[in-house]
Amino acid sequence: MTAARRARRKVSGVGVPDRRRDVLVVARAGETQDVILSAVAAQELDAEVVADLEAVAGHWRSAGTVVVADDQAERLVARALPHREAVFLVGPDRDRLSTWSAPLSAQVIPLPEGGAWLGSVLAEGAGRVRAPVVAVVGGSGGVGASTLAAAIAQLAGERPGGSALVDVDPLGGGIDLLLGAERTEGWRWPRLNAAEGNLGDLRRYLPVVDGVTVVAMARGPAPDLAREPLAAIVASLRAWHGLVVLDPGRSLAPAAREAARLASRQLVLVAPGVRGAAAARQTVSALDLDRAELVLRGRRASLPADLVAEAVGRPVVARVADEPGLADAAERGEPPARGARRRYRRDVAALVGRLVGAPHG
């Protein structure tokens, strides 16, 4: 039995408007409806499928998320329903998507390439608990962003739920090296680059070190990372971990941009001084990090935090100590939070506390 058929067996019939559904699906039977219902089934959500638009009004406000097939958009607009959040227009016809997204106040998910994002969108709208996702980007080259990402993941991995660390930088050499996990068995990116849809618990396939599930690059030819598998992998990791940390590097590649889009927090590590602040400003602009928050490297105030925030145009949320011994620790295969002095570990632990909050079970 297909996922779409399983979903049809789960959805209710029309005519029970007083019960809140996770998803309202406005779609005729066909390929687009099948894609939507497959995503609904994968997330184990409760959906109401409406093909007769006379029945839409009773469910329009109460559903957690509304998904509209592109061939129903014009007729739905004609009903002049009240504005609401969490409306998504889905389908293969880009002209329809472009024409009707604004009248419906809808975000657009083009098919087939957007299918990997649909599941995570539905889970968010249903209010399911999902781990926060943080992307750590260097404001300039060599500032230590990958090291900070690994340290955040390592200390979050000590909490209930553990953490995941995802390498999105094909030229970074493999973030598993920072955790001393290069010989740990498990899949690397080339094996995952065709991932799509609902992937379930990936921990049985990936290297896990000190509570950190690692998605790393393999040594060899750099893979051409695509946005869709990254979205599917992050959606899966969020369901099984307390924090997901992304290391996108500083490239303008589609996967790096997707990492920034997927992140609920965008941390930019800023090198000390005027030049570090200037470079961070350029990085924020070039990578379109519209939600960037700054982490200053170094305890000495070579440039006061308020001046850095003003220069970059983004708020400063933390400062971490300089730790000269981390480079040597990495060469020994010693994870950063283990090889660092107490002050660096304390600073990173405080940052993890802001990202995750109190420990949870």
Side-chain angles (χ1 to χ4, degrees):
M1 181 182 295
T2 67
R5 287 180 181 174
R6 289 197 298 273
R8 287 195 190 94
R9 294 185 62 177
K10 290 184 66 177
V11 300
S12 70
V14 173
V16 196
D18 56 330
R19 181 180 169 189
R20 183 189 186 276
R21 304 292 175 184
D22 295 323
V23 188
L24 170 62
V25 178
V26 183
R28 293 184 180 130
E31 189 172 345
T32 298
Q33 188 194 84
D34 284 348
V35 171
I36 297 169
L37 293 183
S38 293
V40 168
Q43 296 295 328
E44 299 183 348
L45 300 176
D46 186 18
E48 186 81 29
V49 179
V50 176
D52 177 8
L53 296 190
E54 294 291 334
V56 167
H59 305 278
W60 180 255
R61 287 186 181 278
S62 60
T65 304
V66 177
V67 183
V68 182
D70 56 6
D71 61 359
Q72 297 292 291
E74 183 174 5
R75 295 174 60 222
L76 191 62
V77 168
R79 303 198 68 80
L81 294 165
H83 171 79
R84 59 154 292 158
E85 302 293 329
V87 179
F88 296 88
L89 186 58
V90 178
D93 191 322
R94 293 179 181 274
D95 289 339
R96 284 179 181 159
L97 296 177
S98 176
T99 299
W100 301 113
S101 60
L104 286 171
S105 299
Q107 297 183 60
V108 166
I109 301 179
L111 297 178
E113 62 270 26
W117 301 311
L118 188 54
S120 59
V121 161
L122 293 175
E124 292 284 356
R128 294 284 181 88
V129 176
R130 290 291 190 271
V133 180
V134 56
V136 183
V137 179
S140 55
V143 73
S146 294
T147 299
L148 178 60
I152 290 172
Q154 189 184 352
L155 291 182
E158 297 175 357
R159 292 173 167 241
S163 67
L165 177 62
V166 183
D167 191 352
V168 196
D169 184 4
L171 304 180
I175 205 164
D176 52 351
L177 290 168
L178 285 175
L179 295 174
E182 65 273 17
R183 291 186 175 86
T184 304
E185 293 293 326
W187 293 0
R188 265 66 175 178
W189 255 117
R191 191 97 180 253
L192 295 162
N193 212 23
E196 60 180 17
N198 182 46
L199 304 179
D201 187 358
L202 291 172
R203 288 174 294 184
R204 72 189 85 172
Y205 306 111
L206 299 171
V208 179
V209 182
D210 295 338
V212 182
T213 303
V214 185
V215 179
M217 297 294 165
R219 258 62 67 186
D224 183 16
L225 294 187
R227 299 170 64 189
E228 293 81 2
L230 178 63
I233 288 165
V234 169
S236 173
L237 294 172
R238 292 185 70 193
W240 298 94
H241 297 84
L243 180 68
V244 178
V245 184
L246 309 181
D247 179 27
R250 302 179 67 245
S251 80
L252 300 178
R257 290 186 175 276
E258 181 66 9
R261 189 192 71 82
L262 292 169
S264 49
R265 305 287 293 268
Q266 300 169 340
L267 300 183
V268 177
L269 183 60
V270 183
V274 174
R275 190 176 181 190
R281 181 182 181 88
Q282 292 297 106
T283 298
V284 167
S285 175
L287 301 183
D288 195 23
L289 302 177
D290 58 341
R291 289 168 284 115
E293 300 170 289
L294 308 182
V295 178
L296 305 187
R297 198 191 75 184
R299 300 300 299 179
R300 290 184 178 180
S302 56
L303 196 63
D306 57 343
L307 291 184
V308 175
E310 182 180 351
V312 181
R314 301 303 305 166
V316 173
V317 295
R319 188 186 289 270
V320 294
D322 262 328
E323 182 53 86
L326 286 177
D328 290 338
E331 291 297 320
R332 298 191 301 270
E334 193 171 0
R338 195 185 302 160
R341 289 179 294 190
R342 184 177 301 173
R343 188 165 58 180
Y344 180 85
R345 183 184 172 94
R346 186 173 62 241
D347 290 343
V348 176
L351 179 55
V352 170
R354 294 190 190 99
L355 297 171
V356 179
H360 59 281

